[in-house]
Amino acid sequence: SYLNIPNIMSTAELTGADAIHPGYGFLAENPRFAEIVTDHRIAWIGPPARAIEAMGHKSAARALMHRHGVPIVPGSPGAVASEHEALEIARQTGFPLIIKAAAGGGGRGMRVVHTPQELPAALQTARREAEAAFGNGEVYIEKYIGEPRHVEVQILADAHGHVVHLGARDCSVQRRHQKLIEEAPPPRLRQRTLAALARAAVRAAQAIGYVNAGTVEFLVDEHENIYFM
């Protein structure tokens, strides 16, 4: 847990560690831990703190990707502050739409809304779930893409700004928004779509100064339009 950071750093210094790999989840997603490791002159095997922070808040990440030309799903420019603002955004995107937690994923703090009448209650429920799951009740809104494909692009980036992609994989077979099967290359996608996914993934990694191995996730609709997740 986050409370173990002092013990981890003490152990690393006593053993003369050259590098720390954080594993996955928890400390791997904690920009402060990455900063502490770097400040102790120990190599951090992972993305820099600024990249972790940039991607840790989903609505801010959407805005960043939009500025760098990475396609995003139409929706709110940032976190939604009120029911009135949510209704204004809904008028622009149309229904159905989806409410998502700004600080997390995995299906928590997520609600699909089909009518204006459903929106206020769904907004409150999503905020409560997000607060309970992530300690942050902020949510944002996107147009709901019906039956999309979930396609991911693997990237490798060095500390000099060079980014390469290693192809894409289809992760659409899921249970409760958790992947069960990954299939590479993605079946039934045109080469131009795969090329567009690769370009967008590289652009996304460069936008946040990513370093190390990583995955950029996209939705692909029935017309093979791609959207950053």
Side-chain angles (χ1 to χ4, degrees):
S1 73
Y2 299 120
L3 299 178
N4 292 329
I5 291 177
N7 292 337
I8 292 171
M9 297 312 303
S10 296
T11 302
E13 291 178 322
L14 287 172
T15 58
D18 296 313
I20 289 178
H21 189 292
Y24 65 92
F26 297 108
L27 293 177
E29 299 174 2
N30 185 336
R32 180 60 183 144
F33 183 45
E35 289 177 349
I36 291 171
V37 172
T38 303
D39 288 345
H40 282 71
R41 300 184 183 279
I42 297 173
W44 169 254
I45 305 175
R50 65 181 183 277
I52 300 173
E53 193 164 13
M55 291 294 99
H57 192 280
K58 300 300 188 297
S59 61
R62 273 173 46 85
L64 179 63
M65 292 299 105
H66 182 63
R67 289 199 300 272
H68 285 268
V70 179
I72 62 172
V73 181
S76 58
V80 176
S82 66
E83 290 181 13
H84 175 74
E85 183 182 355
L87 285 167
E88 286 298 315
I89 294 164
R91 290 190 183 99
Q92 298 170 23
T93 62
F95 289 91
L97 56 80
I98 187 165
I99 303 169
K100 293 183 176 180
R108 291 168 292 182
M110 185 182 295
R111 283 290 182 275
V112 177
V113 182
H114 295 274
T115 67
Q117 292 74 26
E118 297 174 18
L119 188 55
L123 193 63
Q124 292 179 13
T125 301
R127 282 176 170 158
R128 285 197 300 268
E129 288 183 1
E131 179 67 37
F134 311 113
N136 184 337
E138 290 186 348
V139 296
Y140 63 100
I141 289 175
E142 290 181 344
K143 182 175 179 61
Y144 181 69
I145 309 296
E147 298 185 5
R149 294 174 66 173
H150 180 149
V151 180
E152 301 182 351
V153 178
Q154 189 75 38
I155 56 99
L156 283 175
D158 67 16
H160 306 288
H162 303 118
V163 182
V164 297
H165 73 89
L166 303 179
R169 57 187 183 266
D170 193 307
C171 308
S172 302
V173 179
Q174 301 184 4
R175 180 176 182 269
R176 296 180 180 175
H177 305 287
Q178 300 295 321
K179 296 174 288 185
L180 298 177
I181 296 173
E182 298 185 355
E183 185 175 358
R188 303 180 307 282
L189 279 186
R190 291 173 289 186
Q191 282 301 316
R192 67 181 185 185
T193 303
L194 294 173
L197 285 162
R199 288 194 300 270
V202 169
R203 196 178 296 129
Q206 291 171 332
I208 63 171
Y210 199 87
V211 176
N212 217 274
T215 299
V216 186
E217 302 182 21
F218 296 90
L219 294 179
V220 181
D221 69 16
E222 60 182 338
H223 304 295
E224 297 194 17
N225 297 308
I226 67 172
Y227 305 102
F228 171 79
M229 280 184 67

